[in-house]
Amino acid sequence: RHSLMDAVKRMIRYCSPSDMTARLDWASLTMHLPLFHRSGRDYNELADNGMIMKALLKAISPMLGPLGRVMPALAYAGFHYEKDELGKALKEAQKPAGELEGEIGSELHFCRYMHLAGIYLALDNAAKVKETLTLAEDFIRQHDCQYLTPNLEAFKTRAALQDGEQEAARAWLSNY
């Protein structure tokens, strides 16, 4: 297994910006999973080392465009979430809002919604969880991203279980 920095060095050496754009147009960055830093690549090397992240961003941002600003924010949101630094996680997850519209693929929009919903769930803010999940559902419907629905339903079940809804467990088990 290669480190993230080795992968970045190979990418910089062998990929042109146009190649990178073409690859990102079809690639699944998150493997359709809700948390960016726990998706197709292990980003934990970046969790506690700001110098690596700065060097990485300097090297690849020109090739990634808006993704070079969105991806780090989502990764850091996840790192802070896992450390129970919910205020910092929320701040990072809210950062890319202006960057998202029309600039990145559907998965990162979904990923951001799931980060926000998870943080609001941990903060016990049921109104914001409901609002965020509604936004995610609307996004999936409006952008024809039904392939993301199973992960959304899994999150909704998790939230219901955390709230003590036993019927949610029965419904989940009967469907899956």
Side-chain angles (χ1 to χ4, degrees):
R1 179 176 157 114
H2 297 284
S3 75
L4 179 61
M5 290 308 292
D6 288 340
V8 169
K9 287 175 188 173
R10 282 193 314 276
M11 179 182 70
I12 291 168
R13 187 174 319 150
Y14 300 114
C15 291
S16 69
S18 60
D19 290 341
M20 181 58 65
T21 301
R23 290 176 189 202
L24 289 173
D25 283 344
W26 63 266
S28 171
L29 293 173
T30 65
M31 310 308 263
H32 315 299
L33 296 174
L35 297 178
F36 178 76
H37 71 293
R38 293 276 180 234
S39 53
R41 169 94 221 155
D42 182 1
Y43 294 93
N44 282 321
E45 300 170 52
L46 306 175
D48 294 317
N49 194 330
M51 290 185 352
I52 290 177
M53 181 63 108
K54 286 178 186 172
L56 176 68
L57 292 176
K58 183 177 179 184
I60 66 170
S61 284
M63 287 188 260
L64 297 177
L67 291 176
R69 294 182 298 277
V70 174
M71 290 167 52
L74 293 176
Y76 278 127
F79 298 148
H80 290 304
Y81 172 79
E82 288 186 346
K83 293 178 183 178
D84 199 30
E85 298 170 345
L86 300 176
K88 290 179 181 179
L90 185 59
K91 183 178 176 183
E92 291 290 341
Q94 289 172 332
K95 271 185 187 179
E99 303 286 341
L100 293 173
E101 204 55 47
E103 296 286 337
I104 63 169
S106 300
E107 289 181 43
L108 288 181
H109 281 279
F110 174 74
C111 187
R112 179 174 175 268
Y113 286 130
M114 294 299 93
H115 273 290
L116 290 168
I119 295 163
Y120 291 135
L121 186 64
L123 291 170
D124 202 27
N125 188 336
K128 289 299 251 180
V129 171
K130 184 177 180 180
E131 175 187 330
T132 304
L133 292 178
T134 299
L135 289 170
E137 288 173 337
D138 292 346
F139 180 83
I140 287 170
R141 195 172 29 262
Q142 291 167 4
H143 293 87
D144 199 27
C145 303
Q146 282 71 29
Y147 61 92
L148 297 171
T149 301
N151 285 309
L152 178 64
E153 292 303 317
F155 183 91
K156 289 162 73 177
T157 299
R158 175 183 146 213
L161 291 173
Q162 188 171 321
D163 202 29
E165 294 180 27
Q166 292 181 2
E167 185 54 40
R170 284 190 279 281
W172 180 263
L173 291 172
S174 70
N175 287 321
Y176 301 98

